[in-house]
């Protein structure tokens, strides 16, 4: 079902409020009519939202307002009244740079204003100086509220391990990133921290596929290739892919080098002067965690050599960590686990790498309900002769399916509103065919019963 009510609406329409620029010598200036292009960026890899706008200025606002990168900006963007509001009004953005200043005529110039969330500026202005103790979600909330002074909604998942950490003059976002890498919830290791237009999010990788209560999330929208459907109405237009590209697929050399397929972790116990070697492989870790698009892995168990698959080369990657049974002195009644969680480093690495294995880029008509971290469904075309296609083979079996929006650019220009998304997934809904024999054995057995 579409997230957009289409009554009296055309694909690409949008509602953009006044764009107020608050400077140092005027209450504000409405620059809405000067904007040639507006971009708003969200990413699950970024702790803050950002954006820019290209202005055509024939009144020299840049000089008359004395723009220096100390201004604040206020506006709202919405597809229509039934979609999310991308709200830089309740919480204004902070301008930090004006560049690409070009004179086009004797009395007109074009330049770009860059802005970020206010928390991004506060992050640059403050350091974490205190020591903290507790679960990482408690510490993150403390940092966001008391160091970054945010009033935005927080979507924070509880962690099940506990930490005692010193700020050590780290930037707040840097400090939260350190916490996220050390955090776990049950058998899921490693958290992600990001901001989208709904607020700040801190959760496990599993949190993309399941909500905090453990229920499977449903896609907020479904998109398909326009070649397979006629554009008969606005709903179809809004769900059509204007453009798409497959950016990243399986790469065995890369995935050996990065440690996804198979690796060995050496943990050194500094107290007892011992070390432990533990082998990890992709296929075992894959089936121990939930996934975005079903349970089928990205690689098959077809042997590389007799009785040896891709995942059995445990020396292909190595990592070394410390392993301390107790990092801190604590009371006898405190039974919480305060270890440094380094034993789960490889598990976290495999989880994060697998989520980045398949990446597609799509462009759709602007939809302000789409956000970084949103779960969507994308059907990509099946490239084979039409005479061989059936209703079940219209779409690409493996690349179609559920995706998480990893990055999104909400772009508004005179031609309309578009959403440009880079989407990732860590599994496929239809399993790849595999064989119990190596390629060489299949060649030798070809033609034999």
């Amino acid at each position: 079902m579409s997230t957009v009510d289409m009554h009296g609406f055309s694909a690409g329409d949008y509602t953009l409020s006044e764009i107020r620029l608050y400077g140092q010598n005027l209450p504000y200036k409405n620059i809405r009519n000067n904007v040639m292009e507006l971009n708003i960026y969200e990413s699950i890899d970024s702790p803050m939202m950002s954006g820019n706008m290209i202005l055509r200025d024939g009144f020299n606002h840049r000089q008359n307002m004395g723009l220096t990168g100390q201004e604040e900006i206020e506006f709202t963007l919405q597809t229509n009244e039934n979609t999310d509001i991308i709200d830089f009004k309740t919480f204004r953005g902070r301008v930090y740079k004006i560049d690409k200043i070009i004179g086009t005529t004797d009395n007109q110039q074009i330049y770009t204003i860059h802005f970020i969330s206010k928390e991004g500026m506060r992050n640059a202005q403050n350091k974490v100086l205190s020591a903290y103790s507790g679960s990482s979600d408690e510490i993150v909330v403390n940092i966001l509220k008391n160091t970054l002074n945010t009033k935005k909604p927080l979507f924070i998942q509880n962690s099940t391990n506990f930490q005692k950490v010193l700020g050590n003059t780290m930037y707040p976002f840097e400090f939260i990133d350190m916490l996220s890498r050390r955090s776990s919830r049950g058998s899921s290791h490693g958290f992600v921290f990001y901001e989208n237009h709904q607020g700040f999010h801190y959760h496990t990788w599993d949190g993309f596929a399941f909500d905090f209560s453990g229920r499977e999330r449903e896609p907020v929208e479904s998109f398909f290739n326009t070649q397979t459907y006629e554009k008969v109405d606005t709903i179809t237009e809004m769900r059509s892919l204007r453009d798409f590209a497959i950016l990243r697929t399986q790469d065995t050399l890369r995935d050996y080098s990065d440690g996804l397929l198979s690796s060995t972790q050496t943990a050194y116990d500094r107290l007892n002067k011992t070390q432990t070697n533990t082998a990890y492989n992709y296929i075992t870790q894959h089936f121990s965690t939930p996934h975005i698009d079903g349970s089928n892995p990205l690689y098959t168990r077809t042997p590389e050599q007799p009785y040896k698959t891709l995942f059995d080369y445990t020396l292909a990657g190595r990592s070394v960590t410390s392993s301390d049974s107790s990092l801190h002195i604590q009371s006898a009644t405190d039974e919480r686990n305060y270890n440094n969680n380094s034993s789960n480093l490889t598990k976290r690495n495999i989880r994060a790498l697998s989520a980045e294995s398949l990446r597609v880029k799509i462009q759709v008509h602007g939809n302000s309900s789409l956000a970084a971290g949103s779960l969507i469904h994308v059907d990509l075309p099946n490239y084979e002769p039409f005479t061989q296609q059936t209703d079940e083979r219209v779409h690409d079996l493996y690349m179609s399916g559920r995706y998480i929006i990893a990055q999104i650019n909400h772009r508004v220009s005179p031609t309309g509103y578009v959403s440009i998304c880079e989407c990732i997934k860590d599994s496929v809904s239809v399993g790849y065919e595999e064989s119990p024999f190596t390629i060489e054995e299949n060649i030798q057995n070809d033609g034999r019963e």
Side-chain angles (χ1 to χ4, degrees):
M1 185 177 72
S2 176
T3 59
V4 184
D5 181 0
M6 300 306 168
H7 182 69
F9 177 86
S10 297
D13 286 353
Y14 60 92
T15 300
L16 180 62
S17 69
E18 283 189 350
I19 301 178
R20 295 184 174 185
L21 191 62
Y22 290 85
Q24 302 166 63
N25 58 2
L26 286 173
Y28 68 85
K29 192 74 176 178
N30 179 15
I31 58 173
R32 170 73 165 77
N33 294 331
N34 301 98
V35 174
M36 300 173 61
E37 181 177 289
L38 168 65
N39 295 284
I40 304 170
Y41 303 102
E42 305 175 19
S43 172
I44 64 171
D45 298 315
S46 175
M48 60 186 173
M49 290 179 64
S50 62
N52 60 60
M53 55 183 64
I54 302 173
L55 300 185
R56 179 185 289 111
D57 182 0
F59 295 92
N60 206 8
H61 296 319
R62 182 177 62 85
Q63 175 179 294
N64 295 332
M65 292 190 68
L67 302 183
T68 62
Q70 297 174 258
E71 296 72 36
E72 294 184 0
I73 196 162
E74 174 184 298
F75 65 91
T76 61
L77 172 65
Q78 190 176 19
T79 303
N80 66 16
E81 61 184 9
N82 297 291
T83 58
D84 286 357
I85 300 174
I86 301 177
D87 186 1
F88 277 86
K89 183 176 182 180
T90 305
F91 306 104
R92 289 195 295 269
R94 170 60 192 262
V95 174
Y96 68 93
K97 182 173 69 172
I98 298 94
D99 68 356
K100 298 181 181 177
I101 304 168
I102 302 171
T104 56
T105 66
D106 289 341
N107 63 350
Q108 188 177 88
Q109 58 185 324
I110 292 175
Y111 51 88
T112 302
I113 292 179
H114 301 263
F115 61 92
I116 54 175
S117 304
K118 280 188 178 180
E119 290 83 359
M121 184 59 68
R122 293 173 191 152
N123 176 72
Q125 295 168 337
N126 294 278
K127 296 293 182 69
V128 182
L129 304 176
S130 303
Y132 297 87
S133 176
S135 61
S136 66
D137 54 284
E138 297 171 337
I139 300 173
V140 168
V141 170
N142 192 332
I143 296 296
L144 288 172
K145 289 186 174 181
N146 298 321
T147 303
L148 293 175
N149 194 31
T150 188
K151 302 295 189 299
K152 294 176 179 176
L154 305 180
F155 303 90
I156 310 294
Q157 187 175 27
N158 295 336
S159 63
T160 54
N161 67 309
F162 297 84
Q163 306 189 41
K164 291 186 177 181
V165 285
L166 180 64
N168 200 26
T169 68
M170 299 173 72
Y171 290 110
F173 287 155
E174 180 187 15
F175 185 74
I176 293 174
D177 179 66
M178 177 190 70
L179 289 172
S180 67
R181 287 183 279 109
R182 295 184 177 187
S183 299
S184 297
R185 179 174 176 80
S187 61
S188 185
H189 305 292
F191 276 50
V192 289
F193 173 64
Y194 59 96
E195 183 192 10
N196 63 21
H197 65 260
Q198 299 161 351
F200 284 100
H201 300 254
Y202 183 76
H203 58 75
T204 64
W205 282 99
D206 297 353
F208 288 122
F210 293 83
D211 64 23
F212 294 173
S213 64
R215 292 174 299 189
E216 187 174 2
R217 293 172 60 189
E218 292 297 325
V220 300
E221 191 56 278
S222 179
F223 300 100
F224 45 75
N225 179 42
T226 55
Q227 294 178 0
T228 58
Y229 290 82
E230 292 184 3
K231 302 177 184 179
V232 294
D233 53 33
T234 304
I235 291 179
T236 304
E237 280 284 298
M238 288 295 294
R239 297 180 58 201
S240 298
L241 297 177
R242 291 166 54 100
D243 194 13
F244 70 90
I246 298 174
L247 302 181
R248 183 178 173 116
T249 60
Q250 296 91 332
D251 182 334
T252 50
L253 287 180
R254 175 199 68 205
D255 291 338
Y256 270 131
S257 175
D258 291 344
L260 171 62
L261 291 176
S262 188
S263 62
T264 298
Q265 179 178 334
T266 299
Y268 178 65
D269 188 329
R270 292 176 292 188
L271 181 63
N272 298 311
K273 302 297 188 290
T274 59
Q275 69 179 38
T276 303
N277 294 318
T278 306
Y280 294 92
N281 69 67
Y282 164 76
I283 204 71
T284 300
Q285 294 303 312
H286 177 88
F287 286 114
S288 68
T289 56
H291 297 282
I292 296 167
D293 192 31
S295 61
N296 295 296
L298 302 175
Y299 288 97
T300 73
R301 285 162 286 197
T302 298
E304 294 283 300
Q305 300 176 23
Y307 309 108
K308 198 167 186 178
T309 69
L310 275 176
F311 321 113
D312 294 322
Y313 298 87
T314 57
L315 296 181
R318 294 190 66 91
S319 60
V320 180
T321 66
S322 61
S323 177
D324 300 282
S325 56
S326 181
L327 285 179
H328 308 281
I329 298 174
Q330 59 198 69
S331 68
T333 59
D334 189 351
E335 298 179 352
R336 296 181 295 184
N337 178 10
Y338 287 100
N339 69 37
N340 63 0
N341 214 20
S342 61
S343 60
N344 295 313
L345 172 65
T346 302
K347 294 180 182 179
R348 297 198 304 269
N349 188 47
I350 291 175
R351 191 74 172 97
L353 288 171
S354 66
E356 293 282 349
S357 291
L358 300 183
R359 180 180 285 256
V360 301
K361 184 176 183 179
I362 64 172
Q363 182 180 130
V364 298
H365 289 289
N367 187 337
S368 58
S369 289
L370 300 180
S374 291
L375 179 67
I376 62 174
H377 186 98
V378 180
D379 283 325
L380 297 180
N382 177 30
Y383 292 105
E384 62 182 28
F386 289 113
T387 56
Q388 296 181 17
Q389 289 189 5
T390 64
D391 290 341
E392 292 78 25
R393 294 181 64 85
V394 172
H395 307 298
D396 188 303
L397 284 177
Y398 308 117
M399 295 304 297
S400 297
R402 295 185 174 198
Y403 284 85
I404 293 298
I405 297 178
Q407 300 176 16
I408 183 168
N409 174 14
H410 299 276
R411 176 175 294 170
V412 174
S413 68
T415 59
Y417 173 22
V418 297
S419 296
I420 305 166
C421 311
E422 290 194 16
C423 309
I424 59 174
K425 67 175 180 173
D426 58 357
S427 59
V428 289
S429 57
V430 178
Y432 289 98
E433 293 185 14
E434 59 184 31
S435 169
F437 305 107
T438 67
I439 292 176
E440 186 64 31
E441 288 172 332
N442 278 328
I443 294 173
Q444 294 174 357
N445 293 336
D446 186 34
R448 296 191 304 176
E449 295 183 0

